[in-house]
Amino acid sequence: MKEKTKDQLVKIYSDRRERFIEKMKEENIDAVIFEDSEDNRDPNVRYFTGHPSDAALIINQSGACVLIPWDENLARQNAFVDKIVPSTRYERNTLRAIKAVLGTMKFKSQKIEISPATPYPKFLECVDELNVYDVLCKEKGVHSYATEMRQTKDEYEIELVKEAARVGDLIIAQIEKQIKSGKIKTESDVALLIEKECRAHGCEKTGFDTLAAGPARSFAIHAFPGYTAGEWPGNGLSILDFGVVYKGYTSDTTLTVAKGKLSPEQKKLLTLVQKAYDECLELYKKDVPVKAAAAKADEIFAKARRSMPHGLGHGIGLEIHEAPFVRQRADPECVFKPGMIVTLEPGLYDPELGGVRLENDVLITEDGNQVISRSKILVID
């Protein structure tokens, strides 16, 4: 993909913050604090600044944006903010640094909001240290609005997820080639190939621990451990679930390999999963309730006296699991919207037959959808 210029990136991040500040004004919140740390990973720091990790971020209602990073050099290279205040100036005490930065700002109501994920002891510490402010920690506050913003991707985010998906497709093609040549023999072989190839194509990491399960373990939704020295793909049904991260944004795909002579029951699993995938894809459209797609998959499987033990899909982006969550218990008012990138991953699992899952990443568009990854059920005689 074509790289963005510095000016383009400045505008992308400032536009996101401006949208967020409008919500702050509606809720009469003077400042919002985001903190990404080992104790609480918050992707909103990267969403609003471009900085990859380990920093606190303060956005105030007047538009000021101050980053307090653990690594100053990394922040100056990656962050698009008004000001950088390294935590080293405050003996790496982030809360002291936040207090100092807030002290340089002028507020109307003195209301500041911290993350609803803040543990209660940490909340009490914030209230004590920031005692001149009204510290809010709300389940449905402006923090939740930031999460809501991330459900629908802007143009730049879509480009990044598409690039991650493109690299994932290249890896799948390489895996298919090496399966047929006999070079891939074990779960470890395929998992380590993914790790190597994603870095070779400019990705930061895998989106999560790769799940490679041969026929003896593919009955598990998420095999544990993620991969072993066991045969992959052996005769029968094998599963590979992986994602790669490009500039913070992940793909998420699952490939099923059906190898050798299959029983009629195993073939039926393959047919059912492909049928659910094809029919549910038609429901991944603007304004369609997400639970309608989940209901369709459950209906197809129920007719065959089977059931899927997980949701049909989920949003992806800066996190591997983001809203919306495509499942029957979803809010009836939750609908697919243009700009959402959502997985479609019907699956069936049987301790004796093995498992089958087909997963791709789907971009919701104004007039339908676009499947941006190319995973499949791979049949090898």
Side-chain angles (χ1 to χ4, degrees), residues 81-347:
V81 293
D82 301 324
K83 188 176 182 180
I84 293 173
V85 178
S87 63
T88 50
R89 295 183 189 175
Y90 298 91
E91 299 177 339
R92 299 199 183 280
N93 186 314
T94 301
L95 188 52
R96 281 182 53 203
I98 289 171
K99 181 179 180 180
V101 171
L102 289 173
T104 66
M105 299 176 174
K106 293 182 180 181
F107 299 138
K108 296 178 182 178
S109 66
Q110 301 296 102
K111 289 184 178 180
I112 63 173
E113 186 179 307
I114 62 176
S115 169
T118 304
Y120 188 61
K122 181 64 179 290
F123 169 70
L124 293 179
E125 185 182 351
C126 290
V127 170
D128 184 56
E129 186 72 22
L130 308 176
N131 52 51
V132 299
Y133 306 99
D134 183 5
V135 180
L136 305 177
C137 184
K138 301 168 63 177
E139 184 74 24
K140 297 295 183 180
V142 291
H143 272 80
S144 64
Y145 180 69
T147 301
E148 182 181 329
M149 286 176 61
R150 289 181 17 238
Q151 285 190 51
T152 54
K153 274 56 182 177
D154 58 36
E155 181 182 337
Y156 183 50
E157 291 179 287
I158 292 171
E159 288 180 12
L160 297 180
V161 179
K162 282 185 173 182
E163 180 62 14
R166 186 189 71 83
V167 173
D169 288 346
L170 291 176
I171 294 172
I172 288 174
Q174 183 74 357
I175 289 169
E176 183 175 354
K177 180 180 178 181
Q178 292 197 20
I179 288 173
K180 291 177 178 178
S181 71
K183 191 170 183 180
I184 289 178
K185 294 181 173 64
T186 69
E187 296 171 357
S188 295
D189 286 342
V190 70
L192 295 177
L193 172 68
I194 291 167
E195 182 70 37
K196 178 182 177 182
E197 289 299 312
C198 86
R199 307 295 178 122
H201 288 89
C203 291
E204 297 175 358
K205 57 182 180 178
T206 55
F208 49 93
D209 288 341
T210 295
L211 301 166
R217 304 188 325 123
S218 64
F219 65 85
I221 302 168
H222 284 173
F224 180 83
Y227 56 90
T228 70
E231 185 181 20
W232 193 97
N235 288 326
L237 303 174
S238 299
I239 282 178
L240 175 66
D241 187 352
F242 78 101
V244 300
V245 177
Y246 183 77
K247 295 189 176 180
Y249 287 79
T250 189
S251 63
D252 185 6
T253 54
T254 303
L255 174 77
T256 291
V257 182
K259 183 180 178 184
K261 185 176 181 179
L262 303 181
S263 69
E265 292 83 2
Q266 288 174 317
K267 291 179 180 178
K268 182 64 173 178
L269 292 184
L270 294 174
T271 300
L272 283 169
V273 168
Q274 186 68 62
K275 176 180 174 63
Y277 178 91
D278 293 340
E279 294 193 19
C280 291
L281 181 60
E282 295 300 313
L283 296 173
Y284 273 51
K285 293 181 179 179
K286 175 183 175 181
D287 296 333
V288 174
V290 299
K291 68 181 301 177
K296 171 57 73 174
D298 289 344
E299 174 190 325
I300 290 168
F301 293 145
K303 286 180 179 178
R305 297 184 179 180
R306 291 279 180 181
S307 63
M308 181 170 63
H310 56 73
L312 182 63
H314 55 84
I316 57 172
L318 285 169
E319 294 181 290
I320 188 59
H321 295 118
E322 296 187 347
F325 294 93
V326 187
R327 53 195 180 193
Q328 286 250 39
R329 65 180 186 273
D331 187 329
E333 295 184 1
C334 180
V335 299
F336 290 115
K337 299 177 182 178
M340 288 180 171
I341 302 179
V342 193
T343 67
L344 171 56
E345 48 181 306

